[in-house]
Amino acid sequence: MTAIDSEPPSILYKYRKLPDKYTEAIFTHGEIYFATVNELNDPFEHFFSYSDSGPYYRIFSPAEKSRYPHTEVTGNTSGVVQLDQETAMQHMLDHIKRDPQGIFSLCANNKSIPMYAHYAGGFKGVCIGFDWRHFNLNTVGSSNVFYQIPEYEFNDAIVLHGQIKWCFCEGGIHCKFINFSGCEDTKFIPIDNEIKNGVEEVRERRILKEIETSLHLNGIRELPPREETPRKVSYALSPPTINSTADWAKVFTTKTIDFKWEEEWRLFFYPGKWRKHNIRTAIKEIIFGHLVSRDEIEKVMHLVHDIKNIRFFITSPRIGQFKLALKEITLQSLQRDKELII
């Protein structure tokens, strides 16, 4: 079974610091943050390599032509240029990093010593267990606090088949498509005002679907997928090699083996802060590091007192072992046992 096909555990964990206003927002508003690739802490995010030496073809704007080394394609008037392998990889990586995608990272392990040390304030924070199946981000009721799609001269999408650029014009969109072998198609596609004036994140998907139908492309899809199911991250000594369009999904779920201790699963969605009641009620476990103050533990318990069926735990280093134990606690037991927290 590949990392893409692996079935995620029903409970996945987010390690967070305490006290922290963003952690508190999870408990009070069901607010989580989908980070852009440029906000992540791994400088090798989304690295990949091509299996052949090229040449490669792209549609370049005048600004891109001044930024990347390239060779003009004789007789072409649509901005198609030829690139060597290294430049093609850099251009693709730059495109991926500016694309409006968001990543919510979760962990499969609630007893990870390095995760508590690195992401949960050195055992002064929490590990929050979510039943991610109840997030339902694509349904009505999700509100994005800050999200805004960047504006370009042409809207730009890298899809499994190649590169698409389109812009609005009277009565429809002007579309240019080039596959990764250099074949080009240009077309005017009529669209209705409902699509043109729709909600940004929904509109882009519908436009891509119109392009797919008009250009007879089979199974066009955005990279990365924005879907409800977390994808397991694989860890490797070198970036994934692109041999076919099916390999592109690996780019978004492969990291250097140095991060293997994170045991990461990723949810992909539009970037920014997202609030939803379902996210709050999806909290099933809260595990406190053993250095969290008693007052902080009581505060968190009171913030989520109305959420049903949450279990609370506290970590405890096992004497004579490099392992953590979890002791279940309640607000009543915490108040009763004043010696529980050092």
Side-chain angles (χ1 to χ4, degrees), residues 17-64:
K17 297 182 294 183
L18 282 176
D20 179 82
K21 65 180 182 180
Y22 301 114
T23 305
E24 188 171 315
I26 297 173
F27 301 136
T28 57
H29 294 97
E31 181 180 289
I32 59 177
Y33 186 75
F34 283 79
T36 65
V37 62
N38 294 312
E39 294 174 299
L40 301 178
N41 62 358
D42 179 6
F44 299 96
E45 282 286 353
H46 297 5
F47 269 36
F48 64 92
S49 63
Y50 284 134
S51 58
D52 60 85
S53 58
Y56 299 88
Y57 298 89
R58 296 289 189 272
I59 306 170
F60 269 8
S61 66
E64 287 176 309

Side-chain angles (χ1 to χ4, degrees), residues 243-286:
N243 292 300
S244 69
T245 55
D247 293 327
W248 280 110
K250 300 176 185 177
V251 172
F252 303 93
T253 54
T254 303
K255 297 182 67 172
T256 169
I257 200 168
D258 297 298
F259 283 94
K260 189 174 182 179
W261 52 271
E262 290 185 336
E263 299 179 60
E264 185 179 354
W265 290 75
R266 288 180 164 180
L267 268 173
F268 294 97
F269 204 59
Y270 294 94
K273 295 180 182 179
W274 288 86
R275 290 183 179 180
K276 192 168 187 183
H277 178 69
N278 287 33
I279 295 172
R280 186 171 183 266
T281 56
I283 300 173
K284 300 303 177 185
E285 298 176 17
I286 298 179

Side-chain angles (χ1 to χ4, degrees), residues 132-149:
W132 56 269
R133 297 169 299 179
H134 298 296
F135 279 6
N136 298 324
L137 289 166
N138 283 313
T139 60
V140 174
S142 298
S143 62
N144 191 318
V145 185
F146 293 117
Y147 176 64
Q148 183 177 5
I149 290 181

